[in-house]
Amino acid sequence: MSTDVIVNPTELHDAYVFDMDGTIYLGDHLLPGAARMINELRRRDIPVRFLSNNPTKDPDQYVAKLEKLGLPTDVKDVANTIVTTTRWLQAHHPDAKLFVIGEDPLKKALAKAGFELTEDPERIDIVVASYDRTFDYRKLQIAFDAIWFHKRAFLIQTNPDRFCPFPGGRGEPDCAAITAAIEACTNTKCEVSLGKPSPVMLTEALAGLDVTAENCVMVGDRLQTDIQMALDTDMLSALVLTGEATADDVAVLDDAHQPSYVLDRIDRLIPQQIWDELGWTENDG
């Protein structure tokens, strides 16, 4: 890995918001240094929050995973696109009837929040596109009928990701692929996207904290979502080169799109001076 793009922090900040997969862990394994970095921030009473664009798990499932990996976490410290989608709909369309192209955690959360879920195109107000490994032509037809034929529904999506990465480089088509199919046949555009880089995610992440975005850090592995959200909201950003983005990707960015920090490992969020005080080495992490 080229070290030319590496920019490490020289100070700590007021709060840290973390993407999870590719940043804190990859698959079922914590990335090097993740546990001691989170524990050090918590020891100093610096708020830590977790975000994800993945709508196939609810916050309780993320809490269970983090705890299994050795990072006990309060459910209030986790926000994903299930949370943002539900809260946005409650705030803006509380009485809408929904057709949800998504998986059970999203459907259950929306039903629990009081929304009626229906597959009747004549009753659908909003089509919610999401990551759905059971997507088929029948679901596309229902969305088409509700939006194009009956001209009563509009389209939103939980997240704009094109694919979901897996360990080893493989991945699966994500929400953007389903959104694109609906847009193509209905000749309409998705009206709202509720995952990163939407500022809605940042609002949820910092809710209840007495901090300003300008002195908080968004930490992630994707330039188009994690880092772009920070750039759009004047938040500091840290790109970790343990997931999707590479040093080569950073090298070709113009100044306006550069992350504040570029890290070869997640615990480099902790400044070198503190590493020295704690006696840390990379071999120990």
Side-chain angles (χ1 to χ4, degrees), residues 25-44:
Y25 55 73
L26 194 58
D28 293 322
H29 301 281
L30 281 178
L31 286 162
R36 68 178 181 180
M37 179 271 303
I38 294 292
N39 289 334
E40 182 61 21
L41 292 175
R42 287 173 170 170
R43 187 179 73 84
R44 293 169 180 266

Side-chain angles (χ1 to χ4, degrees), residues 7-18 37-38 40-49 206 209-219 234-239 259-263 268-271 274:
V7 180
N8 292 324
T10 59
E11 61 181 341
L12 293 171
H13 297 284
D14 291 346
Y16 292 81
V17 180
F18 293 93
M37 179 271 303
I38 294 292
E40 182 61 21
L41 292 175
R42 287 173 170 170
R43 187 179 73 84
R44 293 169 180 266
D45 294 323
I46 297 175
V48 170
R49 297 291 185 267
L206 299 182
L209 297 179
D210 186 20
V211 297
T212 60
E214 291 80 3
N215 201 35
C216 299
V217 186
M218 176 67 217
V219 189
D234 295 323
M235 191 174 186
L236 295 168
S237 59
L239 178 73
S260 309
Y261 308 117
V262 181
L263 316 174
R268 283 295 175 187
L269 276 174
I270 305 298
I274 297 176

Side-chain angles (χ1 to χ4, degrees), residues 195-254:
K196 296 175 290 184
S198 170
V200 174
M201 290 292 282
L202 178 61
T203 300
E204 292 302 329
L206 299 182
L209 297 179
D210 186 20
V211 297
T212 60
E214 291 80 3
N215 201 35
C216 299
V217 186
M218 176 67 217
V219 189
D221 67 305
R222 289 189 169 195
L223 290 166
Q224 295 84 0
T225 53
D226 304 316
I227 304 307
Q228 190 59 52
M229 182 177 71
L231 292 170
D232 289 345
T233 53
D234 295 323
M235 191 174 186
L236 295 168
S237 59
L239 178 73
V240 60
L241 301 177
T242 52
E244 178 183 317
T246 67
D248 289 341
D249 294 331
V250 178
V252 299
L253 293 174
D254 59 35

